[in-house]
Amino acid sequence: MAYETLIVETHGPVGLIRLNRPQALNALNSTVLAELKLAYGAFHVDEAIGAIVLTGSEKAFAAGADIKEMQPLDFADVYKSDFISGWDEIAKARKPVIAAVSGFALGGGCELAMMCDFIIAADTAKFGQPEITLGIIPGMGGSQRLTRAVGKAKAMDLVLTGRMMDAAEAERSGLVSRVVPADKLIEEALAAAAKIASLSRPSVLMAKEAVSRALETSLEEGLRFERRLFHSLFATEDQKEGMAAFIEKRKPVFKNR
Ligand code: HXC
């Protein structure tokens, strides 16, 4: 399928989605959202795909929501249409999604990266929530996901001043899982995604669900949820195979069941 704002490829069991609006530094507009939903949807129904990498260009992962699209809107417009609520669907992807961030990840761009399961950053990456400089605040999760990722002090600093932080600061503060040289970014992200895709699909999906639940519930509930998922994996053929392969000193052959 041909997209206007995305370039979509498959690399073996990994789906790669590149945001592609170079004239606007990949600013996120309604077309990007509609196309991302389609691309995610296609990868989710494709049994051959085990993980997704979402990336932008060398200069920008995404420089935010499209300011030119938002500028004329008034309160009634955004309230009636529940403007940007559609991005929640992207955040609810079931298969693991890795954000591979090079250059600017600002505003909605930073928020989109945070909707992914983890972020691998190029050493050129710059993260920020500059909405305050436009007379608004983050609206796609920046005040919530950023605070959970980096804590109150750093989140307040970024959200209130609108300043950018570089890749090293983002790694120190826990926003990104690793920083790699810019020319190795896609290779590293694809390798991480391929590793995930090679593992037993039920355990991967449940691992994602369990970690995600940690941010939404109490420790007691989270531990109970984790244990029940853990128990349920003993009903899979892949648990038998994974453990037998370890004991027999061979590679497991997972059937994703
Ligand atoms: C629309 C954008 C854009 C954006 C850049 N462009 N960011 N268009 N929306 N968010 C466009 C510019 O207008 C310009 O188009 C072209 O992309 C290149 O950008 P430049 O500014 O010329 O590039 P540079 O000087 O290198 O500066 C890069 C930058 C700057 C620092 C990233 O572009 C910038 O500050 N962008 C806005 C960042 C921002 O405020 N993001 C938050 C948006 S609000 P022309 O046609 O002039 O060449 C948001 C809210 C989300 O995200 C939550 C609720 C919706």
Side-chain angles (χ1 to χ4, degrees):
M1 152 140 196
Y3 294 95
E4 194 189 309
T5 63
L6 307 177
I7 298 170
V8 178
E9 298 165 3
T10 54
H11 292 252
V14 176
L16 174 65
I17 303 174
R18 287 177 196 273
L19 303 168
N20 184 39
R21 290 189 73 211
Q23 71 287 3
L25 301 183
N26 292 333
L28 306 169
N29 64 9
S30 42
T31 310
V32 177
L33 173 59
E35 293 193 339
L36 266 182
K37 282 185 190 170
L38 287 175
Y40 270 44
F43 282 144
H44 282 282
V45 296
D46 186 344
E47 280 275 331
I49 296 295
I52 298 167
V53 172
L54 178 63
T55 194
S57 68
E58 220 179 294
K59 180 162 184 196
F61 177 75
D66 192 312
I67 300 168
K68 292 167 190 166
E69 190 180 79
M70 286 187 291
Q71 196 273 338
L73 303 177
D74 65 17
F75 172 75
D77 293 326
V78 295
Y79 183 68
K80 281 190 299 180
S81 66
D82 204 8
F83 180 60
I84 58 166
S85 60
W87 290 92
D88 291 349
E89 208 178 298
I90 298 298
K92 287 188 180 134
R94 284 194 80 215
K95 289 182 183 174
V97 185
I98 302 172
V101 174
S102 177
F104 298 110
L106 302 177
C110 186
E111 293 168 308
L112 175 58
M114 292 190 292
M115 288 176 201
C116 300
D117 297 306
F118 61 96
I119 302 173
I120 301 181
D123 48 14
T124 57
K126 290 206 180 307
F127 297 87
Q129 298 290 161
E131 289 90 340
I132 200 84
T133 67
L134 300 168
I136 57 169
I137 67 167
M140 282 162 55
S143 66
Q144 305 302 301
R145 290 196 180 93
L146 185 66
T147 308
R148 282 164 166 78
V150 305
K152 177 188 161 188
K154 187 78 77 181
M156 281 288 191
D157 178 354
L158 292 165
V159 170
L160 289 176
T161 68
R163 78 171 174 90
M164 293 185 211
M165 68 175 169
D166 64 17
E169 184 180 356
E171 187 181 31
R172 272 201 311 279
S173 54
L175 179 63
V176 312
S177 68
R178 20 178 152 157
V179 178
V180 300
D183 61 352
K184 294 273 183 301
L185 177 67
I186 300 301
E187 192 182 318
E188 287 263 353
L190 287 176
K195 173 71 192 186
I196 293 167
S198 75
L199 303 169
S200 169
R201 194 75 50 84
S203 67
V204 163
L205 296 179
M206 286 195 197
K208 169 170 170 160
E209 267 198 272
V211 175
S212 302
R213 186 61 73 93
L215 295 175
E216 289 165 17
T217 193
S218 68
L219 180 60
E220 197 178 336
E221 280 308 313
L223 290 171
R224 193 197 318 275
F225 182 71
E226 177 194 70
R227 197 173 315 124
R228 292 296 172 243
L229 290 181
F230 173 79
H231 291 159
S232 71
L233 285 168
F234 285 74
T236 64
E237 290 177 32
D238 284 349
Q239 173 265 335
K240 304 283 172 298
E241 168 62 11
M243 293 191 181
F246 175 81
I247 292 163
E248 293 160 18
K249 299 187 190 301
R250 60 174 175 83
K251 279 198 164 206
V253 182
F254 290 125
K255 293 185 187 152
N256 295 333
R257 27 192 345 106

